[in-house]
Each structure stands twice: as structure tokens, then as C-alpha cells.
Amino acid sequence: MAFPVNRMRRLRNNEKLRAMVRENRLSAEQLIYPLFVAHGKGIKSEISSMPGNYRFSIDLLVDEVKEASDLGINSVILFGIPHAKDAVGSEAYNPKGIVQEAVRKIKEEAPEVIVITDVCIDEYTDHGHCGLVREGEILNDETLELLAKMALTHAEAGADMVAPSDMMDGRVGAIREKLDEFGFCNTPIMAYSAKYASAFYGPFREAADSSPKFGDRKSYQMDPANSNEALREVELDLEEGADIIMVKPALSYLDIIYRVKSEFGVPVAAYNVSGEYSMVAAAAGNDWVDRERIVMEILLSIKRAGADMILTYHAKEAARILAKS
Ligand code: PBG
């Protein structure tokens, strides 16, 4: 039945009605706060392309985690900035490496926070690639053991969840097997399954000094033109034991989030990545957009597309906005 019997505006008449019929809501519990950790003491240095985000030494990282937790954010994901890089990314799986030590300290001082660790060697290799390199080729199978070892050292340090972001084939299975072998059968894997070769990672690479020193990541990360392929990636990761599926980036890939959620119905995380953050920060910094409204609209769109969890550098500000609304 058409107008005037039906009037869509009836339920938009005031905020109480709008709240009653609201289909999607954000909650701080489903935000995951990405954090960069570096060696040293008393360090909190701002990432220039991501104003409001910092590289922390472990002591100050713990304070930041507690602050986030007080705002209702239950989980963080850690990225390490090692003191040394080499061809095989040794610091990535050093049991006393930067992330391993950070995890230990957080679990000691804020045990209620879910600590997720990024599993990938690119921040630790001198060539900046996510896999071992031989004669310019990024090796797949040879990298798997390193990733599994890295994940194990994270779990041994107390990580609650590991998140492989390397895009090597078979890494979820290799990590699952290693964790199980050492008694970590209850440590979930959040797999960066549909991770695209994206220009939106630019600011992150500045933050972690992890740009590839030659070539690009297109031989392992996905082609932005593809979406059926994302479903295959997800299917394979689920078969290998992934517990949570991630789509990354988020904003230009809302269709992928939607398809993955509709097709598989598994927990889906979306990564609102560094470049997405920087664009908002830049525009809001110039007063071209209303920062609070833009942030909430973006996060809500990711949720509406089908994501259960959102990894976002906006986590703290979003939690603050949610608390007052
Ligand atoms: C790889 C990794 C990257 C990001 C998370 N894990 C960068 C890359 O693939 O180059 C990017 C996250 C962001 O842009 O916020 N270890």
C-alpha cells in the first residue's frame, strides 16, 4: 500500500522512536584497538600520518590499554616495532621480543583485557616482506614454520588470540597445528582472510617502518578487483581452523564483509585501517567534516555490512561518544 496509508516518516518523528526501530548499534565491546609497541621507556611518540595514535614503550602501553579498558574497550591488537630487523625476521619469534614482552606485561597488569597479536614477519624483516625471500621471490611454504613459531611465542607469553596477517597459503593450518601441539588448543585464530593489496595501509607502514624494500605485496595479498576469491580464501581458512574471519580494509570492501557474513555466518571482523583513519583525521583537522559524526557513521556502516567486530584506531573516541550518547 502506498502513500498516504504508508508514511515512512512516522517512525522517524523523534529520537525515541528512531532508537526503537534502529537496526544496528555499535558497542565498545566490539571495538578492537590497534596499538604499536616499541622498545625503550617513557616513549609515546605520535605517528605523524595518524594524529592521535602513538608508538608506545611497554610501560606507557600498559597505561593506554588500561585507559581503553576503562572506556569499555575489551580488546587490543598489538604490532611490534623491533630494535633490529634481519632477512628472516628473527625478532618476530624471539620469546623475549617486543610483542611477547608487551603481552606478558599487559596480562600481568590488566589481565581482563583480551590481547590479540598480529602474526606476520614484515615488521621484523629487513626486506619488509611478509614471507622469506629467495632471489626476489616471496616463499610460501618455508615461511609457514616461522609464522607458527611466532604464534606459539605469543601464546606462551599469554596472548588470548593470534591474528595471522601475512596471506601465505596454509598459515592458519600451520599455526593451528603448532598451537594444538603445545597445548594451546583453546587459543582462537582471527585470520586476516580477505586481506587486499591496498594503498590504505600507507600510514601503518610509516608507523611500523614496514614498507617492502623491493616490489610490492601483490603476489600474496588480494587483488582489489576480486570478490569471489575472497569467499574462497575464507572457506579455506575456516577449513584450516580459523575462528574469526577478517576482511581488510573495511570501507572500500563493505561488499566483501556483506558477502562473507551472508555466506558463512561466522564471526566476522573488519579492519578499519590506517589510511581510512588518516583520511578522516585530515578532513576533520581542516574542519571539512564533523569528526564525531563521520567516525560513528563509518563504524556503523561497517557494522551494518555484517561485521561483528571492528579493529579501529578510532576505538577510544568512539567509546567516548558511545558513553555520552
Ligand atoms: C602486516 C599488516 C599490515 C597491516 C596490519 N598488518 C600492513 C601491510 O600489509 O603492509 C595494516 C594495518 C593498517 O593499515 O592499519 N603485518
Side-chain angles (χ1 to χ4, degrees):
M1 200 92 66
F3 177 85
V5 174
N6 278 306
R7 287 180 183 270
M8 294 306 288
R9 292 183 56 192
R10 278 184 206 126
L11 295 178
R12 293 179 197 143
N13 205 25
N14 62 56
E15 179 48 27
K16 292 228 161 57
L17 274 174
R18 290 191 293 270
M20 182 188 237
V21 298
R22 189 156 293 140
E23 298 175 39
N24 291 284
R25 282 195 163 75
L26 290 165
S27 86
E29 293 167 338
Q30 294 189 307
L31 302 178
I32 301 170
Y33 184 25
L35 288 164
F36 298 93
V37 59
H39 292 278
K41 244 190 156 43
I43 294 170
K44 181 179 178 182
S45 73
E46 192 165 52
I47 300 157
S48 61
S49 53
M50 300 172 69
N53 282 270
Y54 304 84
R55 298 183 199 83
F56 294 98
S57 51
I58 293 177
D59 51 338
L60 298 189
L61 177 78
V62 170
D63 296 341
E64 183 73 3
V65 171
K66 286 183 183 162
E67 194 183 317
S69 169
D70 289 342
L71 288 166
I73 297 161
N74 294 338
S75 51
V76 296
I77 181 164
L78 300 183
F79 297 94
I81 301 163
H83 56 70
K85 305 190 187 220
D86 60 25
V88 294
S90 310
E91 279 300 304
Y93 37 93
N94 174 357
K96 292 194 157 37
I98 183 65
V99 163
Q100 291 83 348
E101 296 291 12
V103 172
R104 270 188 208 100
K105 195 73 184 161
I106 296 171
K107 292 315 288 185
E108 219 173 275
E109 305 224 356
E112 69 285 0
V113 175
I114 296 172
V115 180
I116 307 169
T117 54
D118 184 78
V119 176
C120 184
I121 61 174
D122 67 326
E123 293 127 66
Y124 305 88
T125 52
D126 49 15
H127 46 75
H129 277 289
C130 303
L132 291 172
V133 174
R134 192 192 300 138
E135 287 161 19
E137 189 193 336
I138 319 302
L139 304 174
N140 192 87
D141 301 16
E142 293 83 342
T143 304
L144 299 182
E145 176 59 20
L146 301 187
L147 294 166
K149 245 166 67 179
M150 183 179 184
L152 179 62
T153 60
H154 290 172
E156 284 172 339
D160 298 290
M161 192 182 295
V162 294
S165 69
D166 52 283
M167 288 301 276
M168 296 299 120
D169 287 319
R171 91 278 206 210
V172 172
I175 291 170
R176 185 72 274 157
E177 196 177 317
K178 181 71 93 190
L179 291 178
D180 289 356
E181 184 187 336
F182 285 85
F184 294 100
C185 59
N186 286 321
T187 303
I189 298 176
M190 173 189 277
Y192 288 71
S193 302
K195 176 172 178 178
Y196 287 86
S198 170
F200 285 100
Y201 308 148
F204 174 98
R205 292 181 189 172
E206 181 215 317
D209 182 26
S210 62
S211 292
K213 299 295 175 290
F214 68 90
D216 53 42
R217 302 208 201 292
K218 290 180 187 166
S219 76
Y220 42 106
Q221 297 181 347
M222 282 185 56
D223 181 343
N226 296 353
S227 69
N228 291 325
E229 187 189 350
L231 300 188
R232 268 202 88 201
E233 283 282 6
V234 169
E235 189 177 7
L236 291 169
D237 281 0
L238 288 170
E239 274 171 22
E240 289 175 30
D243 300 280
I244 297 174
I245 292 301
M246 194 199 297
V247 175
K248 175 186 175 188
L251 276 189
S252 293
Y253 300 86
L254 294 176
D255 57 324
I256 308 300
I257 297 172
Y258 181 78
R259 286 191 73 186
V260 167
K261 188 62 179 182
S262 329
E263 189 85 14
F264 299 97
V266 297
V268 174
Y271 201 143
N272 176 216
V273 299
S274 57
E276 300 174 28
Y277 176 89
S278 301
M279 291 195 306
V280 169
N286 280 303
D287 280 330
W288 293 335
V289 294
D290 177 330
R291 177 156 181 151
E292 286 200 1
R293 290 190 58 201
I294 285 274
V295 167
M296 297 318 266
E297 190 171 333
I298 285 174
L299 296 178
L300 197 55
S301 73
I302 297 170
K303 187 94 210 269
R304 193 188 63 235
D308 303 290
M309 289 144 269
I310 307 173
L311 295 87
T312 180
Y313 302 96
H314 295 294
K316 279 195 341 182
E317 58 181 319
R320 281 199 192 94
I321 298 168
L322 287 168
K324 70 179 184 196
S325 61

